[in-house]
Amino acid sequence: MADQNGIDTMDLGKVVAVRGSVVDVEFDRQLPPVYTLLQAGTTNEILIEVQSQLDANRVRGIALTPTPGLARGATVKSTKAPLQAPVGSSVLGRMFDVFGHPIDRLPALSGVEWRSIHQLPPPLNRRSTKTELFETGIKVIDVLVPLERGGKAGLFGGAGVGKTVLLTEMIHNMVGRHQGISIFCGIGERCREGEELYRDMSEAGVLPNMAMILGQMNEPPGNRYRVGHTALTMAEYFRDDQHRDVLLLIDNIFRFIQAGMEVSGLMGQMPSRLGYQPTLGTELSRLQERIANTDTGAITSIQAVYVPADDLTDPAAVHTFSHLSASIVLSRKQASAGLYPAVDPLRSSSKMLTPGIVGERHYQLAQEIRHTLAQYEELEDIIAMLGLEQLSPEDRNVVVRARQLQRFLTQPFCTTESFSGMVGKVVSLSDALDGCERILRDEVKDYPESALYMIGRIDDATEKIAASKTSRLPS
């Protein structure tokens, strides 16, 4: 049955209650299924996603857009479809919101297909059983926390320790080294960060091989809750249809959990531990299980995870840990000492660091580096109280090696050249391992620590020392 405008009245309902982002809608004839997108407002500008069916005639939904002006009795139209995302090669080089609308002031998309953002994870018989390393060009990560192709890695850290900078450096390195597709998903981040990243990627020339999807922190919780699914739908197209490898960067997965917590509270669910939603594990799994390595391609995901109050026992961090093949913990102590990237080598871990995957030499070197740094950490209290002179010669050698390793594992980034004044370095795994081995074998014992700070290969230290000697010669 249609009205005088040709609209099927079976798809029309009316608003019966509005509480912030929560909207209850009554349908007389046909109740829309869960996840259906509803439209309201004079120009259909208010979009609502059905979250639950309350009874035979009413549904409760979460608004994905602001709801000012929405009142009881307003007409609502069912789109008969869930929220959809554009997929295709023409999304590359563009920036989108959660609805797949371009927000980069460029012309509208053409030649794209629209797919539901609610997809099932790939079945087990399609998943790849091969294990491959994923080189990043960042020494401390490749040596101590190697990443897996098609795996998930988390960057854990509090505010201001360098999560976003590390993510942007990985985008820069990946596009240059792997010739794959990069998808950046900003969940609940500042609009300033999205604009800066877009400009930086454009200037670096990597924008043609990446797409950006942003749900800003001023958007309603429903919007931030779904932006990750939109980005993942685009990534799945390149993996499954174009058979390409995809690097999916999410900044920040904690904001996804936080948005889910807000949606859960608005829907009237009883909060669980520390106020988190009771369905935290399920919601996170629905997103994370779609990120997988299949027989056609791989989605490798690197996710920044904000850790509230630097507490790694927070439920958000604990639930995220269980999905990851590598956990990169960023330390405020390292950052305050100027050791960037501020990766804590003793708290970070990777399931890939086994002799069968990385090889015996790499594994033994990594274990020796960790052992040396752990010994130094134990000796720090003694040094602070009694001084370095009170240590035995063996312990003093450990201190020298550990401090040289700490400085060698720092690295200037390409994405920070403009404000650090240092040319960025991308270091191969073999060069990084060679440098660490030479330090552990005391081959560079006489080098000053400053020569090893913010360099690429170990040979750069020799050049640095030679250059400093030349600059001191009288003219």
Side-chain angles (χ1 to χ4, degrees), residues 399-431:
V399 171
V400 169
R401 287 186 210 116
R403 289 179 64 86
Q404 285 191 331
L405 283 169
Q406 282 182 336
R407 278 141 190 83
F408 178 65
L409 292 174
T410 62
Q411 190 168 337
F413 282 170
C414 300
T415 50
T416 59
E417 282 181 15
S418 57
F419 55 85
S420 71
M422 290 183 279
V423 178
K425 305 279 187 181
V426 179
V427 186
S428 69
L429 176 59
S430 59
D431 285 338

Side-chain angles (χ1 to χ4, degrees), residues 85-346:
V87 296
S89 297
S90 52
V91 303
L92 296 176
R94 304 298 301 270
M95 184 158 60
F96 302 93
D97 61 13
V98 68
F99 308 107
H101 301 149
I103 53 174
D104 50 12
R105 300 180 185 173
L106 294 176
L109 288 177
S110 60
V112 293
E113 179 189 340
W114 291 80
R115 291 185 183 173
S116 166
I117 66 165
H118 302 283
Q119 301 288 345
L120 292 172
L124 284 175
N125 60 1
R126 279 201 53 221
R127 301 204 178 209
S128 173
T129 54
K130 283 198 305 181
T131 303
E132 297 176 53
L133 285 181
F134 188 80
E135 275 193 47
T136 64
I138 298 169
K139 289 181 288 191
V140 67
I141 293 176
D142 288 342
V143 172
L144 295 174
V145 203
L147 306 187
E148 179 187 8
R149 176 181 173 269
K152 296 181 275 285
L155 294 176
F156 291 83
V161 292
K163 296 186 298 297
T164 304
V165 172
L166 201 51
L167 276 185
T168 53
E169 183 69 8
M170 285 183 183
I171 296 175
H172 181 276
N173 293 359
M174 289 314 101
V175 174
R177 292 163 68 89
H178 291 269
Q179 303 303 316
I181 300 294
S182 289
I183 305 250
F184 178 85
C185 175
I187 305 178
E189 293 299 296
R190 303 163 187 83
C191 59
R192 167 184 61 78
E193 292 177 339
E195 189 274 331
E196 286 174 359
L197 181 66
Y198 182 84
R199 192 174 65 241
D200 291 345
M201 295 298 106
S202 180
E203 290 170 0
V206 300
L207 201 56
N209 283 315
M210 71 177 293
M212 297 173 63
I213 302 91
L214 297 176
Q216 295 162 204
M217 59 168 51
N218 65 321
E219 305 277 11
N223 185 311
R224 289 179 273 121
Y225 185 49
R226 288 297 178 219
V227 70
H229 297 87
T230 299
L232 200 43
T233 304
M234 291 184 185
E236 285 169 336
Y237 167 82
F238 290 108
R239 179 192 67 191
D240 300 335
D241 293 48
Q242 292 201 356
H243 302 171
R244 300 179 71 177
D245 283 357
V246 183
L247 178 67
L248 174 65
L249 300 117
I250 302 176
D251 189 9
N252 185 304
I253 204 73
F254 174 78
R255 306 291 176 205
F256 166 76
I257 293 170
Q258 198 174 42
M261 181 165 59
E262 291 178 52
V263 168
S264 173
L266 289 165
M267 293 297 293
Q269 292 180 343
M270 185 72 71
S272 183
R273 186 177 161 218
L274 294 184
Y276 286 100
Q277 61 271 41
T279 52
L280 169 60
T282 309
E283 289 170 9
L284 193 58
S285 298
R286 278 192 192 135
L287 187 75
Q288 298 279 13
E289 286 302 302
R290 289 169 62 181
I291 303 168
N293 187 359
T294 70
D295 49 10
T296 56
I299 298 177
T300 303
S301 176
I302 300 170
Q303 308 166 9
V305 187
Y306 168 70
V307 181
D310 292 341
D311 178 17
L312 289 172
T313 64
D314 187 89
V318 170
H319 278 275
T320 307
F321 266 125
S322 62
H323 292 279
L324 305 176
S325 55
S327 301
I328 303 167
V329 179
L330 301 182
S331 155
R332 202 170 297 282
K333 181 183 174 185
Q334 296 274 104
S336 61
L339 301 172
Y340 289 103
V343 176
D344 187 330
L346 299 179

